[in-house]
Amino acid sequence: MTYKNWKLERETDGESGHIAWAILDVAGASANALGAEVMTELGQLLDDCEKNPPKALIFKSGKAAGFIAGANIEEFAQNDTPEKARAAVQRGWDVYERLSRVNFPTLALVRGHCMGGGLELALACRYLLAVDEPATKMALPEVMLGISPLWGGMKRLPERIGAPAALDMMLTGKTINAKRAKSMGLADECVPPRVMENAARMLVLSNTPRRELKFMDKLMSGPLKSMVANGAKKQVAKRARPEHYPAPYSIIDTWQNYGGNGLAIPADKPTSLDSLMAHPTTRNLIRVFFLQDRLKAFGKDAKGFEPKHVHVIGAGVMGGDIAAWCALRGMTVTLQDQSVERIAPAVGRAAKLFEKKLRDKKKARFALDRLIADPKGDGVRQADVIIEAIFENLDAKQKLFADIEARAKPTALIASNTSSLKLADIASTFKDPSRLVGIHFFNPVAMMPLVEVVAGEKTAPEQAARAAAFVRKIDKLPLPVKDGPGFLVNAVLAPYMNEALKCIDEGMTPEAIDAAALAFGMPMGPVELADTVGLDVAKAVGEQLVKSGTPPKKVLDLIAAGNLGKKSGKGFYTYVDGKAQKGVVPQVGAGDTAILADRLIAPMVAATQKLVADGIVADADLADAGVIFGTGFAPFRGGPINYSKSTA
Ligand code: NAI
């Protein structure tokens, strides 16, 4: 039998039967995603194997991109009735149940990404062999889309690695590399690529029994189950309220009470598949997933641009962290400032970042070797990308760029990280102003996924496309914006923070204001945010970007008293070890909190709508994406414009 998306290859080894290889190579796609057709064909492939049983069956990918990227989300999102969603889930659940029971040994040879439904397939096999290379990553990330691993992952993962580790993976969606997968028992073996096929043949025929769960893990899936479930619920409650994010609570309930079978939950329960599918969060998170893909696609329009060397000028808060991030992502980086002394603190911060992110001394050392202090700026001549991040002064930037333009390679991308200067003004002293583009990072660089790619009046479109490609190369999300005060993100944040500060002048407490924003789903309250960026900076940005009304008075008083926020230990809050010391939140009804939240969010929504109307960002969807990834705007609300439509 031939399949559209699978190949079934049987290899003979002479007298004693054969090993069959099920190779997934989804037609017309660069990565394997599991849609209805692929799953139906998997059932037929199992029919085929049962009719003519192999000695063993090994699954592998026919794609260079990886093993399996997960379920076909686009297709899943089209299930617009509970019946259709249940049918799609049932199909996956049934075929993996069947796979788990075939009477020949099975193995998943996992190389590259193995996500969601892909990992559930691997878990339904008897063995999982992980190939040890950086691209190999396993995860059950369904929770990030507001759903749960419904094809048997919730049942099989705890059986394999114990409930605490399994819940941790399913509730956070975190990825596990090959070595870690082996050490935690998710993978049976971890081997280098050159021996993977032989290792797969040997392991699948080895008859090795499954590693038994540790005694404590058995208890935790038995008598201590409700204790584990309650602990997990408490952990989840710290990050996500059930009314905002029902999926993690559904995962815990499914594991605790339904043997990992989400289909067994009655439709009228809030943790059921039907309830999840009907919840606006699921729709919005799936929307955010596609928006993220749209941002990623902006990096694809500069074919042939392969930047390897980045030169950063200005080793301050931003330049230092941009340089560190680029080195972490494999670039060679030269970092320039006025003296070595000014570069040293940035290198110190970079060393800490590498240790934290790479968790491997040798790799951290290599990353540090890629970050080169360059006080004289010799790197400008060789660099593929040059990013200016000196202080916000037009004259200083123009002088610096005159030198850069004269010395840079003709093919080098020249960028500024300016937040508030007009790109066209900086470019006005260029010989060729079409070369300058804005690459605007957010603080803290390591945590913020978005980078605005700013096209000034004269910026050549191909330079903006190359800038977006560079942003993807360092694993950030590029958002193309036009040159305008505050671009998108700051122009949206400023009126929101200003409204919060006005509330303070009216006598509300910072605690009440921040609590309302948190209840709405913001990652941090606007008052604490103002303290964090620095009240002097917040005031300056507010004056520039919020044209109406007078500046909030309490801010001016605090600044006059030298209380600039977190950096000086006191602002609206007092800071101990970097943490805001908050007083009691006054008890008000949920209705009042929601009214206050709406008051804070309204200027943000209005600003976003205006920026779309002014063409600063191409359309409302991209604006929503930018505000979510650039400010942390509650993702489950799908962005400010999407939110305003839902409340209209
Ligand atoms: P910063 O004051 O921390 O660092 C600026 C650095 O540039 C200093 O180390 C200074 O010695 C160096 N510098 C000044 N002139 C120089 C020159 N001619 N040659 C070499 N080095 C020179 O400033 P920060 O906050 O890092 O800001 C830098 C740029 O990034 C500004 O354009 C700012 O608007 C922008 N930005 C700042 C953000 C923030 O949160 N601080 C966020 C996003 C962008």
Side-chain angles (χ1 to χ4, degrees):
M1 159 126 199
T2 52
Y3 307 95
K4 195 166 150 202
N5 304 291
W6 294 88
K7 260 188 255 148
L8 184 62
E9 290 180 357
R10 297 174 187 260
E11 60 177 40
T12 46
D13 69 348
E15 67 265 18
S16 56
H18 63 273
I19 292 180
W21 290 79
I23 304 162
L24 180 59
D25 195 355
V26 173
S30 58
N32 287 326
L34 303 171
E37 188 182 64
V38 175
M39 299 304 270
T40 304
E41 283 194 352
L42 174 58
Q44 293 163 351
L45 188 143
L46 292 180
D47 292 341
D48 197 336
C49 287
E50 276 172 350
K51 267 187 229 135
N52 176 11
K55 199 158 62 168
L57 176 64
I58 301 176
F59 286 88
K60 73 167 190 175
S61 165
K63 304 277 186 214
F67 183 61
I68 297 174
N72 183 329
I73 306 296
E74 216 154 319
E75 198 182 282
F76 187 71
Q78 281 162 12
N79 292 316
D80 50 3
T81 64
E83 293 73 31
K84 283 190 204 159
R86 271 187 179 265
V89 170
Q90 188 79 54
R91 184 174 44 232
W93 171 270
D94 288 347
V95 76
Y96 286 180
E97 275 293 301
R98 213 181 136 195
L99 171 61
S100 73
R101 296 208 184 106
V102 293
N103 42 27
F104 40 84
T106 50
L107 178 145
L109 171 49
V110 174
R111 181 182 198 185
H113 55 228
C114 172
M115 316 299 266
L119 182 55
E120 292 180 292
L121 184 151
L123 287 166
C125 292
R126 182 181 301 174
Y127 301 108
L128 193 163
L129 180 79
V131 178
D132 187 17
E133 56 183 15
T136 299
K137 288 192 178 108
M138 284 157 258
L140 290 179
E142 287 82 351
V143 73
M144 294 175 178
L145 297 179
I147 49 181
S148 47
L150 287 158
W151 289 348
M154 284 190 284
K155 170 178 153 185
R156 296 191 182 93
L157 189 63
E159 287 170 359
R160 206 178 274 230
I161 62 173
L167 285 171
D168 182 39
M169 272 182 78
M170 295 188 295
L171 295 174
T172 60
K174 71 162 143 192
T175 54
I176 304 290
N177 66 24
K179 280 209 175 79
R180 177 91 189 95
K182 164 82 171 78
S183 71
M184 70 198 287
L186 174 56
D188 300 277
E189 282 299 341
C190 166
V191 298
R194 68 194 148 77
V195 300
M196 62 184 189
E197 287 178 351
N198 269 338
R201 286 186 191 96
M202 279 166 64
L203 179 59
V204 78
L205 296 176
S206 67
N207 222 356
T208 314
R210 264 284 169 69
R211 188 167 91 160
E212 270 210 43
L213 279 185
K214 292 193 195 107
F215 177 66
M216 267 318 278
D217 278 330
K218 283 187 186 157
L219 285 184
M220 289 198 205
S221 289
L224 300 182
K225 205 171 192 182
S226 53
M227 197 189 85
V228 175
N230 288 340
K233 265 184 232 159
K234 268 199 199 126
Q235 284 301 320
V236 167
K238 283 187 200 156
R239 298 190 306 263
R241 303 174 190 223
E243 68 274 23
H244 293 168
Y245 291 101
Y249 297 90
S250 168
I251 290 172
I252 298 170
D253 190 30
T254 311
W255 169 72
Q256 184 184 6
N257 301 314
Y258 297 92
N261 180 2
L263 289 168
I265 306 183
D268 59 349
K269 278 198 74 178
T271 49
S272 70
L273 170 64
D274 311 61
S275 303
L276 290 189
M277 292 305 288
H279 201 286
T281 291
T282 308
R283 209 171 34 251
N284 287 337
L285 291 182
I286 290 176
R287 176 166 180 272
V288 172
F289 173 82
F290 289 125
L291 290 178
Q292 184 169 356
D293 271 359
R294 234 186 119 188
L295 295 182
K296 285 182 182 169
F298 287 116
K300 292 185 182 154
D301 295 339
K303 298 259 168 341
F305 182 51
E306 291 292 334
K308 294 195 169 59
H309 176 178
V310 184
H311 183 77
V312 180
I313 307 151
V317 175
M318 292 306 288
D321 287 4
I322 294 168
W325 184 262
C326 293
L328 178 74
R329 286 292 171 256
M331 301 273 163
T332 298
V333 183
T334 39
L335 178 56
Q336 177 185 349
D337 204 301
Q338 289 157 332
S339 65
V340 179
E341 290 70 36
R342 287 190 182 237
I343 302 173
V347 176
R349 287 204 307 278
K352 283 206 186 106
L353 175 79
F354 300 155
E355 259 170 47
K356 187 171 147 209
K357 293 271 178 191
L358 298 169
R359 285 202 233 132
D360 175 328
K361 283 216 162 75
K362 217 161 91 192
K363 285 186 185 152
R365 182 74 243 163
F366 287 152
L368 209 53
D369 286 349
R370 288 194 292 271
L371 177 59
I372 303 153
D374 180 16
K376 292 205 191 106
D378 295 330
V380 170
R381 286 186 196 285
Q382 284 90 39
D384 306 308
V385 178
I386 299 166
I387 303 174
E388 168 278 313
I390 68 169
F391 38 60
E392 198 72 328
N393 177 297
L394 181 61
D395 264 0
K397 289 197 196 255
Q398 285 178 336
K399 272 199 198 91
L400 181 75
F401 274 120
D403 173 59
I404 291 173
E405 196 188 11
R407 291 197 299 137
K409 292 195 290 196
T411 53
L413 179 69
I414 302 183
S416 172
N417 184 48
T418 182
S419 286
S420 60
L421 297 172
K422 219 170 152 31
L423 215 58
D425 292 342
I426 304 177
S428 65
T429 50
F430 268 61
K431 284 207 177 78
D432 175 5
S434 75
R435 287 189 79 176
L436 184 69
V437 63
I439 300 187
H440 184 231
F441 288 82
F442 296 95
N443 189 8
V445 174
M447 279 173 67
M448 300 302 291
L450 192 82
V451 174
E452 288 173 325
V453 171
V454 191
E457 276 158 30
K458 301 233 164 110
T459 305
E462 61 271 22
Q463 299 297 358
R466 292 163 93 221
F470 163 70
V471 169
R472 280 308 297 142
K473 282 255 162 11
I474 56 166
D475 245 345
K476 297 278 182 194
L477 298 171
L479 174 75
V481 290
K482 293 261 159 56
D483 200 359
F487 313 125
L488 172 76
V489 170
N490 287 344
V492 163
L493 270 180
Y496 160 70
M497 279 160 60
N498 191 61
E499 194 63 32
L501 303 182
K502 273 194 338 211
C503 290
I504 291 192
D505 281 358
E506 289 171 23
M508 291 182 214
T509 65
E511 283 85 353
I513 297 164
D514 282 351
L518 293 181
F520 178 82
M522 301 302 280
M524 181 186 269
V527 183
E528 191 175 347
L529 182 62
D531 265 359
T532 306
V533 298
L535 296 181
D536 49 342
V537 177
K539 170 180 166 275
V541 173
E543 279 167 359
Q544 193 199 359
L545 297 176
V546 185
K547 301 283 187 247
S548 60
T550 47
K553 184 171 174 317
K554 181 80 178 124
V555 176
L556 303 179
D557 296 346
L558 282 168
I559 295 173
N563 296 321
L564 302 181
K566 194 171 176 179
K567 61 186 169 189
S568 61
K570 193 168 167 19
F572 286 103
Y573 298 108
T574 301
Y575 289 80
V576 176
D577 295 330
K579 272 198 121 163
Q581 304 301 298
K582 293 190 181 172
V584 209
V585 180
Q587 284 300 314
V588 287
D592 289 336
T593 304
I595 291 170
L596 176 52
D598 272 342
R599 174 177 169 185
L600 298 171
I601 298 300
M604 206 174 194
V605 170
T608 315
Q609 283 164 335
K610 180 161 189 323
L611 290 160
V612 176
D614 292 350
I616 294 295
V617 56
D619 58 54
D621 280 349
L622 284 181
D624 274 348
V627 178
I628 291 169
F629 293 111
T631 73
F633 184 96
F636 70 92
R637 300 205 187 263
I641 293 184
N642 187 66
Y643 169 69
S644 70
K645 284 188 201 149
S646 74
T647 55

